[in-house]
Amino acid sequence: MEQAVRNGQLSDGDAQWFPYWLDRYARWTRQSSDTRIQIQPESLIRFLRTLRDGGKPAFVRLQVVRALEFYQQLAELSSSSEVTKADLTEIRTTLERLTRADHERQAGDVRNARAETSEALKEAEDAMLIGKIDSREPEILQSMRKLMRVRHYAPRTERAYAGWVERFAQAFGGWADSFSQVGEVEIKEFLSDLAVQGRVAASTQNQAFNALLFLFRDVLKRELAFLEAVRAKRPQRVPVVLSREEVAAIFRHLRGESLLFAQLLYGGGLRHYEVLRLRIKDVDFDRRQLIIRDGKGARDRVTVLPEMTVEPLKLQIENVRKLHEQDLEAGFGSAWLPDAFASQSPEAPRQFAWQFVFPADKLSTDPHDGSTHRHHLHESVFRKALRRAVQNADIQKRVTPHTFRHSFATHLLESGSDIRTVQELLGHADLSTTMIYTHVLQQGPLGVKSPLDRL
């Protein structure tokens, strides 16, 4: 690849990005770029899926496929023997159509772009196995996905676990022997390699641990007694908390929907995904409260609805009503419902009460059953708006959506609120989780004052 770049065989853009994506794919599949890289459609599909979930648009993912196809051509030309090439045509064709649809939409040809996007997404789901239990996947992985869906694991958890299991399989001989020759030593080696060579955080290593534990204990029915002992110890960190002035400064650089989103995060102590999943029926203006359904640990709770957000929230809901009416006129208008509730109440998905308070800009296709819904706003939308607001406010802290929840708890305790009340508002099962906020109070429960200030 480097020789091709030096010889001018690639355009400037491809010369810059082809080596980069080749190296990224090699590292993701745990291969060395010093030897010939083996390319498999199945692993490429999952690599592209991680890029998609990370917000990479179709044209970037298309560039990845073109880079790998070019690499295979170079390998074939430089080898004296026959080289087995992976056929990436179907994947490339799908991404070409998605890229073309994106360009049409940006150019303003909404009618054609919508039709093309819908058709292309359907093909993409068929070709790239997005969200499906595909018969071409290894049987172990299919069994794992089925069990996770029976137990109602979140889709992102399923994707993460499947990704870790695939990486583990690639590290220890593939899928042929159904892990019959793999045991405790190999698992410990894999987890240790993540920490030493990959230098991943303890939370990432624990996610890999949980994936392998689920695979061996629940899917393969093999007891590995030592596994609990190798779990990485998560460091105890004091949360980042904004001052009231910093919160106000960020709010001054947010507008419209993004401002309301941030106000609910801070004003009610909600998690990011809890605001995303908030539905019309769960906003109680009379009691000034929000009902959080199926929060962390599958628990419901009630939290405060800030007075300042009442009027903006009513306006937001009215805008959602107009959008919902347009969707109904177009033959759509349904929202995704949890578990089997949609089959039990067929009329519920199209009812206004079940619509999301923060809906997505466009319709989407449910990868499990192919139905078309208007889902909630994508999680990256507010993150991008928040990042810009923090930069414009010149705040030198690492601010994420969850920082507002930390600030909510800390400011309530500073104002004299009972810690048990704060625990209930946050939805913590254990008081010790809430107690961490006492460590960041300006005047903590110990009332400690620096000796320097007493001089």
Side-chain angles (χ1 to χ4, degrees), residues 229-274:
V230 301
R231 185 185 292 271
K233 183 178 180 180
R234 298 186 64 173
Q236 294 293 324
R237 303 196 185 280
V238 175
V240 175
V241 173
L242 299 168
S243 67
R244 289 175 173 81
E245 293 74 18
E246 288 172 330
V247 172
I250 293 175
F251 284 177
R252 285 195 291 271
H253 292 280
L254 291 170
R255 296 288 183 273
E257 191 177 67
S258 295
L259 174 59
L260 177 60
F261 199 105
Q263 289 174 333
L264 292 178
L265 286 171
Y266 173 67
L270 276 68
R271 298 177 177 90
H272 186 198
Y273 73 84
E274 291 173 344

Side-chain angles (χ1 to χ4, degrees), residues 62 126 138 238 291 325 345 363 375 386 415 453:
L62 175 60
D126 291 338
V238 175
I291 304 172
E325 291 173 353
S345 303
L363 300 171
H375 206 48
L386 177 61
S415 301
D453 294 328

Side-chain angles (χ1 to χ4, degrees), residues 270-343:
L270 276 68
R271 298 177 177 90
H272 186 198
Y273 73 84
E274 291 173 344
V275 181
L276 290 172
R277 297 177 185 176
L278 190 65
R279 298 183 192 258
I280 304 296
K281 67 182 184 63
D282 297 324
V283 179
D284 190 336
F285 288 111
D286 293 333
R287 291 185 173 85
R288 294 295 193 265
Q289 65 185 25
L290 299 172
I291 304 172
I292 310 304
R293 306 286 185 183
D294 199 22
K296 191 172 183 179
R299 294 186 297 270
D300 292 356
R301 76 177 191 279
V302 176
T303 189
V304 60
L305 172 63
E307 188 71 36
M308 183 181 294
T309 65
V310 170
E311 291 306 318
L313 194 51
K314 287 182 177 179
L315 179 60
Q316 172 70 12
I317 290 176
E318 187 58 33
N319 291 335
V320 175
R321 184 187 298 276
K322 294 176 183 178
L323 182 61
H324 180 55
E325 291 173 353
Q326 293 174 8
D327 287 344
L328 289 174
E329 291 177 1
F332 301 105
S334 65
W336 174 85
L337 296 188
D339 301 332
F341 188 74
S343 59

Side-chain angles (χ1 to χ4, degrees), residues 82-126:
E82 185 176 353
V83 175
T84 303
K85 293 171 55 178
D87 186 3
L88 310 181
T89 305
E90 187 177 6
I91 301 175
R92 173 170 44 78
T93 302
T94 296
L95 289 171
E96 285 173 348
R97 301 195 68 178
L98 288 171
T99 301
R100 185 165 59 252
D102 287 345
H103 289 165
E104 289 177 353
R105 184 167 56 254
Q106 293 169 5
D109 190 354
V110 179
R111 182 186 305 173
N112 291 338
R114 182 178 299 171
E116 178 65 15
T117 300
S118 176
E119 184 180 355
L121 281 176
K122 185 178 185 302
E123 288 191 16
E125 288 169 358
D126 291 338

